[in-house]
Amino acid sequence: MTVLDRPVRTGAALKIRGLRRSFGSAVALDGLDLDVAPGELLALLGPSGCGKTTALRVLAGFEQPDAGQVLLDGEDIVPVPADRRDTAMVFQSYSLFPHLTATDNVAFGLRMRKVRAAERRARAAELLELVGLAGHGDRFPHQLSGGQQQRVALARALALRPRLLLLDEPLSALDARVRLTLREEIRRLQLELGITTVFVTHDQEEALSMADRVAVMNGGRLEQCASPRELYERPATGFVAEFVGTMNRVPGRVVGDDVVEVLGTRLPVEGPGGTGDVRVLLRPEALELTAGGSAHVTSSAFHGPTTRMRITLPDGTDVTADVPTHTAAELSPGSAVTVTPRQRPVLLASWDGAA
């Protein structure tokens, strides 16, 4: 029977309730509540110091919270030592034993649990094959690339068949091409094994492309937890709206109930409204450019099918617009343009107190 025939114990439900952790006067977690569904991959995303890594370390047992519960299938694991939690963690620094081969690194946890040698080596070989490293078992870490070392670390974490897999920015030390390949592999394995996974990253593209849901944190609190599409299209707060993706703030004026006029166009307001002069939040793809006008293109950057252009409006406001590359040639830097928002609901920057 193979590792795939005998998958990890899948479907653990994780509930975080009222988690608090302070370091002196610095509050890292301020009453965090979060649910992770069985078999879900949840990404924790936020700026440096938001508490996402502290939350992960509390889940792993490397930090003790000041208050709160971590319920894994209904059991509070806060009092349980890290080595008895039935969780596994993959670090950004690989943390492989340099004097052990790939096979022995993967089998290390099994050896600590007194699994027989033959079974250890068989399971390690199966897992190395699962992560695309068949035939590399006798190599030492220094003989492997960064991406290969991280695959070994992932295989080692899966060897114990944990109920909860924790990933601490595991791709940040890799180059862009390897990072893209490995994040697809991690997602494939997670879906194949059905293991509940919490993934910490500072990379928005990773979070939005890999996760079932993304939890955006700020100042130790949860701002919003939703699917990538919902976060991008229907942010719950101004912080989320401006943190996830690129957002323009454009002067506008409320001219009626839930209607704002911006760049000469009237648009419906989604979410809390305002009065008088406001700042309207517009994504780069929500702006259309046409040749001629009183705005000017200041720079452009080729992004494959789209070109990202920086435009200065007549009032001096700088905005970013994504336009189809096949139309961008006629809108080179220095060109006079007209900027028009597409007809879709917009958010106001002042809706949650943002300046």
Side-chain angles (χ1 to χ4, degrees):
M1 184 175 287
T2 68
V3 170
L4 292 181
D5 294 327
R6 295 182 300 156
V8 295
R9 282 176 284 167
T10 61
L14 175 66
K15 296 181 183 293
I16 298 172
R17 293 291 180 268
L19 214 57
R20 297 183 181 277
R21 183 70 172 105
S22 296
F23 299 94
S25 61
V27 178
L29 296 174
D30 190 10
L32 180 65
D33 291 319
L34 197 57
D35 289 354
V36 186
E40 181 178 32
L41 191 155
L42 179 82
L44 299 182
L45 180 68
S48 298
C50 72
K52 58 186 184 294
T53 298
T54 300
L56 199 74
R57 290 179 60 83
V58 169
L59 296 180
F62 301 149
E63 293 282 353
Q64 280 295 305
D66 301 323
Q69 293 180 305
V70 177
L71 303 172
L72 192 60
D73 280 339
E75 175 193 1
D76 186 5
I77 62 172
V78 167
V80 179
D83 60 350
R84 296 176 54 194
R85 287 196 176 193
D86 207 5
T87 64
M89 191 161 177
V90 179
F91 301 91
Q92 60 180 323
S93 58
Y94 319 140
S95 299
L96 300 179
F97 297 108
H99 63 289
L100 298 182
T101 64
T103 294
D104 289 338
N105 264 285
V106 174
F108 181 81
L110 300 173
R111 189 176 73 178
M112 294 298 100
R113 294 193 178 184
K114 309 301 182 183
V115 176
R116 290 178 305 168
E119 184 178 348
R120 291 199 309 261
R121 296 191 69 83
R123 197 184 302 180
E126 291 169 6
L127 283 163
L128 286 172
E129 182 176 0
L130 189 66
V131 298
L133 289 179
H136 291 67
D138 60 348
R139 298 187 184 182
F140 291 89
H142 73 273
Q143 296 173 313
L144 300 171
S145 68
Q148 290 171 333
Q149 290 183 58
Q150 196 59 293
R151 289 171 188 265
V152 173
L154 180 61
R156 181 179 60 185
L158 295 174
L160 297 176
R161 301 191 180 104
R163 287 188 291 165
L164 178 64
L165 179 63
L166 306 172
L167 306 175
D168 183 16
E169 302 198 45
L171 309 180
S172 62
L174 305 174
D175 63 57
R177 187 177 183 86
V178 175
R179 192 161 61 241
L180 177 61
T181 300
L182 197 52
R183 80 185 186 201
E184 292 172 350
E185 284 297 303
I186 289 175
R187 182 55 165 158
R188 177 187 66 81
L189 287 170
Q190 188 269 333
L191 289 171
E192 200 167 292
L193 298 174
I195 185 170
T196 304
T197 303
V198 179
F199 177 68
V200 163
T201 180
H202 65 277
D203 188 313
Q204 293 188 25
E205 185 178 343
E206 280 182 7
L208 297 178
S209 64
M210 290 179 65
D212 295 301
R213 290 186 303 146
V214 179
V216 179
M217 296 180 62
N218 183 34
R221 292 177 174 270
L222 180 67
E223 290 276 339
Q224 184 178 3
C225 184
S227 70
R229 176 182 288 273
E230 185 175 350
L231 276 182
Y232 191 83
E233 296 182 351
R234 295 186 298 279
T237 68
F239 175 83
V240 176
E242 297 194 80
F243 182 78
V244 177
T246 300
M247 188 71 79
N248 296 301
R249 287 183 172 215
V250 184
R253 183 172 182 81
V254 175
V255 293
D257 293 338
D258 298 324
V259 178
V260 65
E261 184 172 330
V262 55
L263 298 174
T265 302
R266 294 194 172 194
L267 300 173
V269 175
E270 187 172 69
T275 58
D277 294 331
V278 293
R279 292 282 175 172
V280 182
L281 300 178
L282 295 167
R283 296 283 187 196
E285 66 272 18
L287 297 177
E288 294 182 319
L289 303 185
T290 53
S294 51
H296 290 85
V297 177
T298 57
S299 66
S300 64
F302 176 74
H303 288 178
T306 63
T307 294
R308 174 155 290 187
M309 294 193 162
R310 190 79 170 165
I311 303 102
T312 300
L313 302 177
D315 67 356
T317 301
D318 289 324
V319 297
T320 299
D322 290 339
V323 301
T325 293
H326 69 273
T327 67
E330 62 188 72
L331 303 175
S332 57
S335 300
V337 294
T338 296
V339 183
T340 306
R342 298 179 187 274
Q343 279 292 336
R344 60 180 66 173
V346 296
L347 302 169
L348 304 184
S350 60
W351 62 323
D352 66 346

